[in-house]
Amino acid sequence: TPATPSNNTQNPRRYAPMGGSFAPVPVAAFTWNGWQDSAEYAANLFYLPPRQPKGWQGLATHVQPTSSFLNEASQIAGWAADARSTKTGYLLLPEDAAGEWLAGTRAQLEAAVPSGRTWLVGASYPLGHDHWSDAVIAVDRSGSRVLFQAPFTVPVSMWHPWNPAGHYPALWWEPVKVIDGKRVWASICYSQLLPWVWLEGLLQHPDLVLAPRNDWWAKGTGTAHIQRSNTQSWARLMGVPVVDAVNRWQQNTEATH
C-alpha cells in the first residue's frame, strides 16, 4: 500500500500514475520516508502471475443449495452439460458442486464425463457414521476417486464434534498429489481463509494450486473477497499458478480461466 504523501511540497513525486511515465518511481530506495512503499508499489505494478498450465481450467457454476435429490440431480445435469462443452483435460468444479457423494451422483457423473477427460468435482464425501469430508473427487470414464479433502471446514455449521450427526471432522493435513506429472495441491473453500493450511501447501512445494469455493454461504459479506485475496497472495508467495472454480447462484453458468 503506498504511503500517504507528505504535505511538504518540496518533495519529489514518488508515485507513478497508472497511465503515465514510470520514471519517477524509486524502485531501489531503502529509506524510511515512504520510498520503501513506493518500491513495493512498483514491484506489485509489474508483477505478472504465472500462467495456468495447458489443459487445466475451472468452471463457474450457479447451483442453489437444495435438500431434494431430484433438484440436485437436475442441477448436476445442468453444469455437466456446460462441462462437456469445454475441451480441457482437467476441469475443476466448485466446492460441493455435486452435493452429497452418493451412488446415484457417482453414476450420473461417471456417465456424463467425456472420454479422455477428468472432472475434479467438489462434493461431500461420506466417511461413515454420518460423518463427511469436504472433498475434491476425480471423475473419468474409468471411475472416480477422492483426491483431496479439506483439513478444516466451517465451525459450527460443518465442524461440530459435540454433535456427531452430519459432522465434518478435522483431517488436519492436505497432502500434495501428483497428477499428470505435476505436484498439485488444493485449498478448498473455508481453508482458503486459514494461514496454517496455506503453510501446509507452502511446505510441500506444489507446481499448481486448485482453489474451489462456494460463495453462497457467505452471501452479503466480504468473505469471498478475502478468500480470493488470500489465495492470490499465497500462490504468489509459492510462485505457482492457481486454477479456481467458484459457485455463485444468482447468475447463469460460465467457464472461467
Side-chain angles (χ1 to χ4, degrees):
T1 303
T4 303
S6 170
N7 291 328
N8 183 355
T9 57
Q10 301 302 315
N11 287 346
R13 193 168 89 176
R14 297 172 181 169
Y15 308 103
M18 290 300 291
S21 169
F22 294 108
V25 179
V27 296
F30 292 96
T31 64
W32 291 102
N33 63 356
W35 294 68
Q36 281 183 312
D37 289 331
S38 297
E40 293 173 7
Y41 176 80
N44 283 319
L45 197 62
F46 287 109
Y47 174 73
L48 294 175
R51 290 185 178 182
Q52 289 185 7
K54 186 177 180 181
W56 293 78
Q57 184 179 340
L59 184 75
T61 63
H62 306 278
V63 175
Q64 300 187 33
T66 179
S67 58
S68 166
F69 291 117
L70 291 178
N71 288 344
E72 190 166 81
S74 176
Q75 291 186 138
I76 290 172
W79 61 250
D82 292 319
R84 282 195 299 271
S85 69
T86 68
K87 305 300 181 182
T88 190
Y90 292 93
L91 184 67
L92 178 66
L93 278 301
E95 186 249 9
D96 210 38
E100 294 180 354
W101 191 255
L102 304 175
T105 307
R106 183 179 67 247
Q108 180 182 9
L109 288 172
E110 289 176 358
V113 63
S115 179
R117 301 184 199 169
T118 301
W119 292 351
L120 308 176
V121 181
S124 292
Y125 185 78
L127 300 177
H129 304 293
D130 206 16
H131 285 190
W132 304 82
S133 73
D134 195 9
V136 172
I137 300 172
V139 184
D140 57 29
R141 276 302 179 91
S142 66
S144 56
R145 64 194 183 281
V146 175
L147 276 183
F148 303 103
Q149 299 180 89
F152 299 97
T153 56
V154 183
V156 182
S157 64
M158 298 175 74
W159 179 80
H160 43 76
W162 56 89
N163 179 9
H167 175 48
Y168 289 71
L171 302 178
W172 302 107
W173 180 258
E174 178 67 274
V176 159
K177 301 292 178 66
V178 177
I179 303 173
D180 198 21
K182 293 181 175 60
R183 293 175 58 80
V184 182
W185 183 76
S187 183
I188 302 171
C189 203
Y190 178 71
S191 293
Q192 294 167 16
L193 299 171
L194 307 177
W196 55 88
V197 177
W198 284 106
L199 286 172
E200 292 181 6
L202 183 67
L203 291 171
Q204 297 180 78
H205 305 289
D207 301 317
L208 175 67
V209 169
L210 306 181
R213 70 178 193 269
N214 200 335
D215 282 356
W216 68 262
W217 69 277
K219 184 181 179 183
T221 73
T223 304
H225 175 73
I226 296 171
Q227 285 178 286
R228 183 170 60 253
S229 298
N230 257 7
T231 299
Q232 292 170 348
S233 298
W234 281 97
R236 178 174 175 179
L237 182 62
M238 296 179 192
V240 299
V242 176
V243 175
D244 61 2
V246 185
N247 180 64
R248 304 181 185 93
W249 56 276
Q250 62 268 40
Q251 300 175 13
N252 296 322
T253 54
E254 59 186 12
T256 61
H257 300 275

